[in-house]
Amino acid sequence: ILNVEQSPQSLHVQEGDSTNFTCSFPSSNFYALHWYRWETAKSPEALFVMTLNGDEKKKGRISATLNTKEGYSYLYIKGSQPEDSATYLCAFETGGGADGLTFGKGTHLIIQP
Amino acid sequence: DAGITQSPRYKITETGRQVTLMCHQTWSHSYMFWYRQDLGHGLRLIYYSAAADITDKGEVPDGYVVSRSKTENFPLTLESATRSQTSVYFCASSEWMGQEQETQYFGPGTRLLVL
């Protein structure tokens, strides 16, 4: 069983502040690292798929970095807005081909107005 | 533009009964997946399928059966439901094109309660 850890478990951030959280994963047999945004009562929505060490991806105010050698990825949110409140999941993919993802338990982000 | 759908969205059943959860996607994606979501565990892979008639076990397959006779459908059957199978079940699909990794797209989920 692969170990994918996310920290912190939950986070309260003031509107307008920037924040970041971490996903740790095995550094061996890495294929891809996925980030998802999951709002309550909805299904997970893909943010990024990252495959290369040193990769940086950006979508609006959200960006992510990847370090496959040390086994971590950071997700950053700049200027948090109430609509950013959600659970952010990372998922590790090993080997080649789509064999299913191993998810972390998520970081639950609450933006306070 | 239906995407990926699941039915039923909510289901209450009794211990020992057989239950089938349906998943249908309109993208002709090769890969389909079933996950369950439980408090304290996050999303865990039950079964996946790389193509029609090809299925494989994930992390927590015991008590479940899948089939994939058509590319677009991937039903999940609980042969004899147990209380521990009370969960939210998510179906997902993706396409894999050689070296390019594609993201997985999730259905809306099925909430199953086993009494």
Side-chain angles (χ1 to χ4, degrees), chain A residues 1 31-32 34 36 38 42-44 46 49 51 89 93 96-101 103-105, chain B residues 31 33 35 37 40-43 45 48 59 90 94 96 98-99 101-104 106-108:
Chain A
I1 296 175
Y31 188 77
H34 300 241
Y36 285 85
W38 195 1
K42 294 188 178 179
S43 48
V49 180
T51 55
L89 299 172
E93 183 166 5
D99 295 336
L101 302 176
F103 282 84
K105 294 177 186 177
Chain B
Y31 291 85
F33 309 85
Y35 295 90
Q37 184 225 347
H41 286 282
L43 284 166
L45 182 67
Y48 64 100
E59 183 186 346
F90 285 94
S94 74
W96 188 64
Q99 295 299 311
Q101 179 56 49
E102 291 287 333
T103 197
Q104 291 188 15
F106 283 81

Side-chain angles (χ1 to χ4, degrees), chain B residues 11-53:
Chain B
K11 177 75 178 178
I12 301 174
T13 191
E14 293 176 336
T15 300
R17 290 196 180 252
Q18 183 179 83
V19 177
T20 296
L21 310 184
M22 303 301 293
C23 179
H24 175 79
Q25 51 106 354
T26 59
W27 294 306
S28 299
H29 282 169
S30 299
Y31 291 85
M32 295 187 76
F33 309 85
W34 275 107
Y35 295 90
R36 59 179 288 175
Q37 184 225 347
D38 304 291
L39 273 174
H41 286 282
L43 284 166
R44 290 182 294 173
L45 182 67
I46 305 171
Y47 268 96
Y48 64 100
S49 169
D53 297 322

